[in-house]
Amino acid sequence: MQRVKIERVESDIHAIAQFGFNEADRGVYRQGFSEADMAARQWVRDRFEELGMAHRMDGAGNVIGRYGPAEGPDSPPCVIIGSHLDSVPAGGIFDGVLGVVAGLECVRVLKENGIVPAFPIEVIGTSEEEGRFGGMLGAQAMTGHVTLDWLDTARDEHGFMLKDAMKAAGLDSHDVLHAYRRPEDIRAFLEVHVEQGPVLDTEKTTIGIVEGISGVFKWNCRLIGKPDHAGAAPMNMRSDALMGMVDFAHEISRIIDEEGTDKSRITIGHVALKPGFPHTVPGEADFTIVGRDLDEEVMQRLSDACRRVLSSIARKHKLKFEYEEMSWLKPAYCDEGIRALMERKVQELGYSYRTMPSGAGHDVQFFCNHTRAGMFFVPSVNGVSHAPDEWTHWSDIERGCQLLLECVTELACGEDVAAGMAVSG
Ligand SMILES: [Zn+2]
């Protein structure tokens, strides 16, 4: 069996962590199309070059290294190993980067063992996954989920336009549309990522095979009461908007018990009280509700229940209830054949594993309805991510890379291909 070498993976992760590293909070600042982000992309291209891979940056800023048969009209479909190179502000060193360097290590191992795959392997560092401009630009572009209108109008939270950010990075936003890849040119998409949650670490399990990415709905809600004097208004004569919101918060676990599953999540993540003055009864509570589940019908039941419960609470507290659904993203399911392959390989390797949903969004979700896509997680210590103290033990990184190598070898080298995984067309 070919083995990955963890020292090389470790050294790659530390090298990329230098791009956008902030000494003060020890976090990584590599937001999409920033200087640090583009420098990290160049660093990865230099590694492609070292490995003798054909490489390019596409119109969306994705960096693509290819090992095996060259691109051309008759070339077989490729197996993609991809994840993102950008980070959130004050992010960690593993988020996204792991999925790219794991791909580099797979190619390195195959190459040093003289194995040239029948199906090309592409290692891709996707662009702007963390949503600085509100999407997952690189993955969306590759799978045809970008419109010109959005490219022309998207801006970040400081009002900085996507097209200007791309221009500063030497890219033309209209070229994003050239990054599209046809499904028939892709044999599979694989992503390995840190879990970013506490499940694997708590259970002392090494690998989490992802069933799918939970769908998400987001509401902006408003409870409107009366902003009375906090001394003059008796307790039983108030219309206190905060009390209504808090009653709803207490109902969330019951809503999930009755209408949801163990994969359901409902979160009030942002709250603003008006007028927000210590001596005034809150006349208005503005808050967000974000709900998730892996099943769209369950999402519907959760959202119906939220509406019902909020309406009845509003009546009880003499409040007016308004809401606006800001977004509704459907769940995306990983391919059963790829999941079965991952499961068989993880059993052969003897690592502990479980299947699980991904509550967080990832590049893979756009490939789910585009090609056969699969993803697995390695543990995040204490579930920490999107923070400087994000950590994954090197022994777990090593196992994740080894599992990826086993999967990609089978998919790209065409030997012992799992049932139902034979190349189509
Ligand atoms: Zn990520």
Side-chain angles (χ1 to χ4, degrees):
M1 188 189 287
Q2 337 290 344
R3 307 294 311 194
V4 299
K5 295 204 170 73
I6 186 60
E7 317 78 61
R8 299 190 294 209
V9 178
E10 192 175 335
S11 138
D12 283 355
I13 287 176
H14 282 310
I16 296 177
Q18 299 312 305
F19 298 100
F21 183 74
N22 181 311
E23 209 44 73
D25 60 13
R26 312 208 53 83
V28 173
Y29 291 73
R30 209 166 47 235
Q31 292 98 305
F33 303 115
S34 61
E35 257 176 59
D37 179 42
M38 297 312 285
R41 281 166 204 284
Q42 185 54 50
W43 187 90
V44 169
R45 289 189 70 178
D46 292 344
R47 302 291 83 66
F48 292 152
E49 179 73 28
E50 269 176 12
L51 282 164
M53 300 165 78
H55 59 92
R56 63 191 174 93
M57 180 180 287
D58 70 13
N62 297 309
V63 284
I64 304 172
R66 185 168 166 119
Y67 178 61
E71 216 161 354
D74 299 323
S75 100
C78 63
V79 177
I80 298 177
I81 302 171
S83 197
H84 59 98
L85 286 170
D86 62 315
S87 81
V88 294
I93 65 172
F94 297 97
D95 180 3
V97 169
L98 172 61
V100 183
V101 302
L104 280 174
E105 179 61 14
C106 288
V107 170
R108 238 181 247 133
V109 173
L110 292 174
K111 191 160 188 259
E112 65 198 5
N113 286 282
I115 301 168
V116 179
F119 299 93
I121 296 170
E122 289 193 1
V123 178
I124 302 187
T126 64
S127 63
E128 225 301 83
E129 188 269 355
E130 295 290 5
R132 175 181 170 194
F133 296 97
M136 292 189 187
L137 182 72
Q140 281 178 260
M142 290 184 68
T143 55
H145 290 89
V146 179
T147 60
L148 257 188
D149 182 52
W150 183 72
L151 291 170
D152 285 341
T153 55
R155 49 181 81 227
D156 69 10
E157 61 172 342
H158 307 293
F160 203 65
M161 312 260 329
L162 169 66
K163 57 183 179 186
D164 295 334
M166 290 190 75
K167 197 170 172 191
L171 295 160
D172 179 341
S173 62
H174 285 193
D175 287 342
V176 166
L177 299 170
H178 295 300
Y180 177 71
R181 302 290 294 270
R182 300 182 310 167
E184 56 267 39
D185 294 334
I186 306 174
R187 183 166 159 78
F189 178 92
L190 303 176
E191 182 169 7
V192 45
H193 202 282
V194 289
E195 183 200 340
Q196 305 182 286
V199 176
L200 295 175
D201 187 46
T202 305
E203 292 183 350
K204 301 290 166 232
T205 300
T206 305
I207 301 291
I209 298 176
V210 174
E211 305 162 84
I213 313 294
S214 295
V216 189
F217 64 86
K218 182 179 174 221
W219 286 8
N220 283 349
C221 298
R222 180 169 297 157
L223 286 168
I224 302 163
K226 211 155 126 287
D228 286 318
H229 190 292
M235 296 309 286
N236 62 350
M237 291 185 182
R238 298 177 174 199
S239 306
D240 184 329
L242 175 66
M243 290 303 153
M245 191 200 76
V246 168
D247 272 10
F248 172 74
H250 279 290
E251 290 293 310
I252 288 177
S253 58
R254 191 180 59 79
I255 291 173
I256 290 181
D257 282 348
E258 289 177 1
E259 308 291 346
T261 67
D262 60 341
K263 293 164 181 131
S264 301
R265 312 275 187 269
I266 295 175
T267 306
I268 299 175
H270 179 82
V271 177
L273 296 179
K274 288 177 189 166
F277 182 65
H279 298 284
T280 305
V281 175
E284 188 174 315
D286 294 347
F287 57 102
T288 55
I289 296 177
V290 170
R292 298 172 198 263
D293 197 87
L294 197 53
D295 181 332
E296 197 170 14
E297 269 178 45
V298 175
M299 287 170 67
Q300 195 58 60
R301 290 208 304 269
L302 294 173
S303 106
D304 289 345
C306 287
R307 191 180 316 111
R308 239 180 9 249
V309 169
L310 272 163
S311 301
S312 98
I313 285 171
R315 273 196 302 278
K316 187 175 129 199
H317 288 274
K318 299 182 290 280
L319 304 169
K320 200 169 142 212
F321 162 53
E322 294 171 352
Y323 81 102
E324 191 181 353
E325 186 178 284
M326 305 307 288
S327 58
W328 180 279
L329 295 177
K330 292 168 185 284
Y333 301 99
C334 292
D335 180 77
E336 299 228 353
I338 303 274
R339 279 174 54 190
L341 169 69
M342 288 174 171
E343 197 156 343
R344 185 159 50 79
K345 292 297 181 187
V346 78
Q347 286 169 356
E348 283 171 20
L349 288 165
Y351 305 156
S352 57
Y353 76 100
R354 59 168 288 154
T355 56
M356 59 195 297
S358 174
H362 294 291
D363 288 305
V364 72
Q365 72 197 66
F366 287 98
F367 289 88
C368 282
N369 295 315
H370 196 68
T371 181
R372 293 169 301 183
M375 175 178 219
F376 65 84
F377 290 144
V378 291
S380 295
V381 175
N382 296 323
V384 176
S385 188
H386 282 190
D389 49 353
E390 172 182 281
W391 190 254
T392 296
H393 296 302
W394 294 115
S395 55
D396 287 328
I397 299 274
E398 181 176 11
R399 291 188 176 121
C401 291
Q402 189 65 36
L403 175 59
L404 183 69
L405 176 65
E406 303 297 323
C407 294
V408 80
T409 302
E410 179 153 329
L411 284 164
C413 299
E415 45 184 69
D416 187 25
V417 172
M421 302 277 311
V423 63
S424 52

